[in-house]
Amino acid sequence: MAHIFELAESLSAGAGANYANGVRTGANPSQFPSTEAFSGFNRPSRIEADIHDLDITGKIPADIDGTFFRIQPDHRFAPVYESDIHFNGDGNVTAIRLSNGQAHFRQRYVHTDRYDHETKHDKALFGKYRNPYTDNEAVKGVIRTAANTNIFFWRGMLLATKEDGPAYAMDPDTLDTIGRYDFEGQVLSPTMTAHPKFDPKTGEMICYGYEAGGNGNDGSRDIVVYTINSAGIKTEECWYEAPFCGIIHDCGVSDNWVVLPMTPLKCDPDRLQNGENHWAWDPNEDQWYGLAPRRGGQPSDIRWFRSKNAFQGHTVSCYEAPDGKVVFDLTIADGNVFFWWPSPDTPAGTVAKRNKLQNNTTRWIFDPSLPTGSWVDPVEERGEYGGEFSRVDDRFTTMKYNHYWQCVIDGQKPYDFPKCGSPAGGLFNTLGHFTWDNSAAETYWAGPCSTFQEPAFIPRAGGTEEGDGYLVVLLNRLDELRNDVCIFDARKIAQGPLAVVHLPFKLRLGLHGNFVEQSEIDAWKEKRAKELGPVRAAVEPLPWQKAEGHIGNGV
């Protein structure tokens, strides 16, 4: 989950008068902490707006007709704890509509249960990240998720997700929140991944939840893996037990297997009850990979493979070789990227320490015939550039692929510290396009005052060749406290952007997003109107809420 590297250069107490001993006081409850997590480019934007016909340099390709959806954690209220982190912010969805050479902007918050309760009380009520013991008593039993990590299109709706809770459905045109979505009562686990995979050959969504045995924030070792078919019907559900409660942020999916990489950031229920952090790095624990069958799985079927201690980042892609072995590509860092969650006996680290880590694109091959507990080593490590936020041509998900794109840290390029300060989100100053057969390795540097956020791939209209299309990516103008949206020819990024859409203000650091063709949105709108009916929000409380005596959809 190595996606925001430098969110909090200092999470120590600041000088703000609204915090005493690290806890918010009544002196000035609307003032945000004076920490790096809430300063400069990291300062919450708290924007909901519509802007028609944005200013553009260059020309948006005429065949692009769709919307780039992305989501950012964006605190609306000053947090309860001064040491709060970016990941704990409210989900705020951006839509950049691209059509007829024009670009339009819309942004709205996800109205989660958390959002509704804090709006009612006009202040933050939820405490530390994934620790319900630090919450205000008024929100006991309320679903805590901020739904702030990914936004993707599914059967006529947008789903805003974060791995600590269920999904929330939104209207793709208005960005109005429809409500918590449980797949018409079929998915009732307390947690759901922010990184489901979509099989382009079958139309299936493969998703999972970890820490899924209790309320989603209690250190459960349970994992559930689901498959939802193209008709919206759950066809697979299997529960597994992990070796420990660790982060499983992303996954890989091939024709017959699901790969679950588990990073040695661990949850200890006793620490939670003591009001401590949900996660703590274990420098002595291996990284683990769970290999589970996509179909007909039983709890005993999962195989756990182990390798040396490391921090697993985002998946590049996954597929099966002709011999049945599973090829799995992702980025790997050689230490704890999330330095604000150190081991229990170690002080929080620093950005300087984080920047010494090596972050390689790494290829693994897993043999399903090996017994659980087998040791594995990567078969290839690419370390020329430190990269993250990898994307592929999604039409080739589950298939052998060649092209991938990343945000890259190029330490050889200059950076203007006096003008920009600490590079918010990490020094992702370069966009990279690479291939596994080494036929392409090109980069585009953003300049000494800019960094990139995660890109998304746009297929060229009518094209079928892998990588034939465009790349859309948000650019942080750190010296201007503003953003641009850049559109590149995906296989010629070194030539620079074809078009730059200029936003008149700063967004917050986003996590993930996806491009959706307007034809797909229109087709599902018609199908909903004529056949399926509107998207139906969940009406029943989740099982854990019922077990704890809470009623009424967590409200």
Side-chain angles (χ1 to χ4, degrees):
M1 192 170 54
H3 39 219
I4 297 294
F5 292 157
E6 296 181 273
L7 291 172
E9 183 168 342
S10 172
L11 293 179
S12 60
N18 56 324
Y19 289 87
N21 297 318
V23 181
R24 188 185 61 210
T25 68
N28 187 0
S30 62
Q31 182 182 341
F32 282 86
S34 54
T35 63
E36 187 74 12
F38 294 96
S39 303
F41 208 88
N42 288 328
R43 188 168 183 81
S45 69
R46 301 193 288 177
I47 291 171
E48 289 191 304
D50 296 276
I51 304 176
H52 185 78
D53 199 9
L54 292 159
D55 182 35
I56 299 170
T57 298
K59 186 176 181 180
I60 298 175
D63 60 332
I64 295 181
D65 184 14
T67 302
F68 174 41
F69 296 102
R70 47 83 71 182
I71 193 166
Q72 61 186 27
D74 196 356
H75 289 73
R76 292 186 305 138
F77 299 108
V80 175
Y81 289 88
E82 189 173 21
S83 61
D84 202 24
I85 61 173
H86 184 72
F87 296 161
N88 217 18
D90 299 276
N92 200 358
V93 177
T94 310
I96 305 293
R97 178 75 172 93
L98 303 171
S99 180
N100 298 317
Q102 292 181 298
H104 315 292
F105 173 93
R106 174 164 289 166
Q107 186 157 290
R108 297 290 188 275
Y109 276 102
V110 188
H111 288 215
T112 60
D113 295 3
R114 177 188 185 119
Y115 177 103
D116 291 339
H117 276 77
E118 293 189 332
T119 299
K120 177 181 176 181
H121 292 272
D122 201 28
K123 64 179 179 180
L125 298 170
F126 295 84
K128 293 184 178 180
Y129 182 85
R130 295 189 75 166
N131 191 337
Y133 295 101
T134 64
D135 294 345
N136 189 297
E137 188 67 22
V139 291
K140 184 178 181 180
V142 175
I143 296 171
R144 301 183 85 254
T145 187
N148 66 14
T149 306
N150 204 354
I151 185 79
F152 50 88
F153 186 78
W154 171 249
R155 293 177 52 80
M157 72 195 86
L158 293 173
L159 290 179
T161 57
K162 180 177 175 59
E163 63 207 61
D164 65 350
Y168 279 77
M170 303 178 76
D171 184 286
D173 291 328
T174 65
L175 297 187
D176 291 339
T177 301
I178 298 166
R180 177 168 60 86
Y181 189 66
D182 61 3
F183 297 82
E184 283 78 47
Q186 299 178 95
V187 175
L188 300 177
S189 59
T191 59
M192 177 181 164
T193 179
H195 286 288
K197 303 301 178 189
F198 301 89
D199 189 330
K201 291 178 287 189
T202 65
E204 294 172 310
M205 176 200 287
I206 299 90
C207 51
Y208 66 97
Y210 75 90
E211 201 167 347
N215 62 20
N217 296 284
D218 55 8
S220 162
R221 293 164 57 191
D222 295 279
I223 301 168
V224 59
V225 179
Y226 298 104
T227 296
I228 314 295
N229 70 13
S230 59
I233 305 300
K234 181 180 69 176
T235 58
E236 302 285 343
E237 177 179 340
C238 190
W239 290 75
Y240 304 102
E241 186 174 81
F244 54 88
C245 180
I247 287 181
I248 308 175
H249 177 68
D250 204 349
C251 72
V253 173
S254 67
D255 285 338
N256 297 293
W257 299 95
V258 179
V259 183
L260 301 170
M262 190 165 69
T263 299
L265 276 159
K266 295 182 176 180
C267 177
D268 182 338
D270 291 336
R271 288 203 314 268
L272 287 176
Q273 294 186 44
N274 291 333
E276 299 176 44
N277 288 335
H278 187 97
W279 299 114
W281 177 253
D282 186 346
N284 301 310
E285 181 61 76
D286 296 332
Q287 56 174 313
W288 293 68
Y289 293 88
L291 187 66
R294 262 183 69 172
R295 298 175 181 85
Q298 299 296 318
S300 60
D301 288 339
I302 193 167
R303 297 161 175 81
W304 289 100
F305 301 135
R306 306 167 64 178
S307 194
K308 64 181 181 180
N309 178 266
F311 190 108
Q312 295 143 324
H314 285 100
T315 297
V316 183
S317 199
C318 181
Y319 62 93
E320 286 171 43
D323 61 3
K325 295 177 182 177
V326 180
V327 180
F328 181 52
D329 304 327
L330 79 165
T331 49
I332 300 285
D334 59 357
N336 181 21
V337 170
F338 293 164
F339 56 82
W340 51 87
W341 291 325
S343 55
D345 57 352
T346 305
T350 65
V351 170
K353 183 177 180 180
R354 159 64 190 94
N355 285 342
K356 295 179 181 178
L357 299 178
Q358 184 65 31
N359 207 73
N360 296 338
T361 302
T362 307
R363 169 158 286 182
W364 304 78
I365 295 180
F366 301 123
D367 184 348
S369 69
L370 292 177
T372 193
S374 295
W375 185 267
V376 292
D377 287 307
V379 298
E380 185 175 351
E381 295 181 86
R382 296 186 160 194
E384 181 180 359
Y385 293 104
E388 247 293 358
F389 288 113
S390 304
R391 299 303 297 257
V392 299
D393 183 339
D394 295 321
R395 297 171 298 178
F396 288 77
T397 300
T398 75
M399 308 176 206
K400 185 177 182 180
Y401 74 105
N402 191 28
H403 297 264
Y404 64 95
W405 296 263
Q406 290 178 334
C407 295
V408 168
I409 299 172
D410 187 346
Q412 302 302 311
K413 295 292 194 296
Y415 176 74
D416 195 334
F417 277 98
K419 185 180 290 186
C420 302
S422 179
L427 190 58
F428 289 115
N429 57 356
T430 301
L431 199 62
H433 167 219
F434 308 103
T435 57
W436 286 101
D437 68 2
N438 296 313
S439 60
E442 57 171 342
T443 60
Y444 176 80
W445 176 52
C449 298
S450 299
T451 57
F452 287 107
Q453 297 190 29
E454 182 192 57
F457 181 80
I458 305 174
R460 194 182 307 275
T464 58
E465 185 178 347
E466 183 195 356
D468 184 18
Y470 309 98
L471 214 63
V472 58
V473 59
L474 205 68
L475 186 67
N476 306 314
R477 298 291 190 188
L478 302 177
D479 55 335
E480 302 177 23
L481 295 182
R482 192 181 59 74
N483 288 98
D484 287 332
V485 179
C486 299
I487 300 170
F488 293 81
D489 185 316
R491 293 191 292 188
K492 299 177 181 178
I493 64 169
Q495 297 181 8
L498 303 170
V500 179
V501 180
H502 305 289
L503 298 182
F505 42 65
K506 175 190 75 66
L507 302 180
R508 213 179 188 205
L509 294 168
L511 299 182
H512 301 290
N514 298 279
F515 183 84
V516 184
E517 302 280 355
Q518 188 61 33
S519 59
E520 185 178 3
I521 294 174
D522 290 342
W524 275 103
K525 187 184 298 184
E526 182 177 5
K527 191 175 182 69
R528 285 280 175 190
K530 294 183 177 180
E531 181 182 345
L532 300 177
V535 176
R536 293 185 291 276
V539 295
E540 288 290 320
L542 288 171
W544 72 264
Q545 294 177 298
K546 292 181 180 180
E548 294 183 9
H550 307 297
I551 60 175
N553 197 25
V555 178

